[in-house]
């Protein structure tokens, strides 16, 4: 079965640089979520999109922005990177509905030096 | 207030034994969902099992079952016949059923399970 695809899998950036993370949801999934997991921590919700519209926003810094495109893939843009942005970034997708499970991608491991 | 509580930071179990991972939750929403995810050292987040607040029966998925006690607000994961490959972090998560709102997951702090041969 097809899974959520994230690219790149690993990314190393310098402080103040920008990064773009991409997410390709499972086919026919119309909702995408972004989570950030710091070292030794639980995942924290950043932002979500349903049918290409932002549906909810969590603790996402103003330096970050995201969107969902017409083919349902999503991109998380991160600017002015800080050391504290080093984390594992997950994208998850689901079909709309309360009983629907969120399936996670393999994550993008971002290291800011 | 913390919505998902996993009090066991770590557990050890012998291979082939059963183990219970605790999870308590807090919500005032009558409609919610509870999930368990497994995160091996490689980092991916693997869905294990789901329990809806209105489900009459406890969820089961292969060797995984969920001991759902609604009145006590607990949703413990039971793994039967542990295998070495079960060694991982386990996260309990909740999704509240807000009408027209977010379906985001709120996670507990996780617990580390180690299966010994």
């Amino acid at each position: 079965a097809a899974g959520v695809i994230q690219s790149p899998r690993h990314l190393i950036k310098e402080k103040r640089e920008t990064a773009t993370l991409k997410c390709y949801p499972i086919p026919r999934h119309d909702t995408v979520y972004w989570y950030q997991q710091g070292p030794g921590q639980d995942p924290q919700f950043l932002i979500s999109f349903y049918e290409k519209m932002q549906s909810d926003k969590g603790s996402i810094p103003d330096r970050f922005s995201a969107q969902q495109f017409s083919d349902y893939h999503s991109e998380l843009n991160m600017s002015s990177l800080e050391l504290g942005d080093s984390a594992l970034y997950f994208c998850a997708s689901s079909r709309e509905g309360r009983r629907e499970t969120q399936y996670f991608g393999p994550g993008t491991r971002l290291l800011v030096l | 207030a913390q919505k998902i509580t996993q009090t066991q930071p770590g557990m050890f179990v012998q291979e082939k034994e059963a183990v219970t991972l605790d999870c308590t939750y807090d919500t005032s929403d009558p409609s919610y969902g509870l999930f368990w995810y497994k995160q091996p050292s490689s980092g991916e987040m693997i869905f294990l099992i789901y329990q809806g607040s209105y489900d009459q029966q406890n969820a089961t998925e292969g060797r995984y079952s969920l001991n759902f006690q609604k009145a006590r607000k607990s949703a413990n994961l039971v793994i039967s016949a542990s295998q070495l490959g079960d060694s991982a972090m386990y996260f309990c998560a909740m999704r509240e059923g807000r009408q027209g709102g977010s379906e985001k997951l709120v996670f507990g702090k996780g617990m580390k399970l180690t299966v010994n041969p």
Side-chain angles (χ1 to χ4, degrees):
Chain A
V4 177
I5 298 172
Q6 290 188 247
S7 67
R9 295 290 308 277
H10 302 273
L11 193 57
I12 300 175
K13 291 286 186 178
E14 299 280 339
K15 281 195 306 183
R16 292 179 288 277
E17 285 190 326
T18 61
T20 297
L21 279 53
K22 296 185 178 182
C23 169
Y24 297 85
I26 292 171
R28 292 181 295 282
H29 281 195
D30 48 23
T31 307
V32 167
Y33 308 81
W34 287 96
Y35 293 86
Q36 177 192 56
Q37 185 179 27
Q41 298 181 6
D42 54 295
Q44 295 291 317
F45 170 73
L46 292 178
I47 195 167
S48 62
F49 294 87
Y50 167 63
E51 283 291 344
K52 292 153 278 184
M53 298 286 290
Q54 182 181 308
S55 54
D56 196 11
K57 197 172 182 180
S59 50
I60 182 170
D62 292 340
R63 300 177 289 107
F64 294 7
S65 65
Q67 57 182 323
Q68 186 180 31
F69 295 86
S70 58
D71 64 352
Y72 293 98
H73 95 271
S74 179
E75 294 183 4
L76 177 66
N77 299 293
M78 311 160 71
S79 62
S80 303
L81 287 169
E82 302 174 355
L83 297 179
D85 295 329
S86 296
L88 186 55
Y89 290 84
F90 286 109
C91 170
S93 75
S94 74
R95 290 181 295 199
E96 196 275 338
R98 294 179 177 184
R99 293 191 60 84
E100 295 298 331
T101 295
Q102 291 183 28
Y103 293 93
F104 282 69
T108 293
R109 199 172 291 276
L110 172 66
L111 178 60
V112 181
L113 301 175
Chain B
Q2 192 168 351
K3 294 201 168 190
I4 296 287
T5 302
Q6 295 180 256
T7 56
Q8 308 151 309
M11 286 187 72
F12 294 86
V13 66
Q14 289 297 122
E15 194 177 7
K16 299 180 186 177
E17 289 185 350
V19 62
T20 298
L21 283 56
D22 295 341
C23 172
T24 57
Y25 61 91
D26 182 32
T27 181
S28 56
D29 196 322
S31 176
Y32 53 90
L34 296 158
F35 300 79
W36 278 91
Y37 287 86
K38 170 186 177 182
Q39 187 174 41
S41 57
S42 51
E44 67 265 36
M45 195 71 75
I46 302 167
F47 165 73
L48 295 178
I49 197 166
Y50 165 80
Q51 180 85 44
S53 59
Y54 293 119
D55 292 345
Q56 295 297 312
Q57 292 188 325
N58 287 345
T60 60
E61 290 283 352
R63 294 186 300 112
Y64 305 106
S65 61
L66 206 152
N67 183 3
F68 181 46
Q69 298 187 44
K70 197 170 181 177
R72 297 180 60 183
K73 293 189 175 180
S74 73
N76 298 339
L77 176 70
V78 181
I79 305 175
S80 63
S82 299
Q83 301 173 356
L84 295 178
D86 294 334
S87 295
M89 284 291 291
Y90 288 80
F91 288 94
C92 180
M94 180 173 67
R95 181 185 63 208
E96 291 175 310
R98 296 188 197 128
Q99 189 154 3
S102 171
E103 307 290 336
K104 69 184 180 192
L105 294 177
V106 176
F107 287 83
K109 296 300 180 186
M111 68 86 61
K112 185 173 183 179
L113 177 67
T114 302
V115 181
N116 293 319

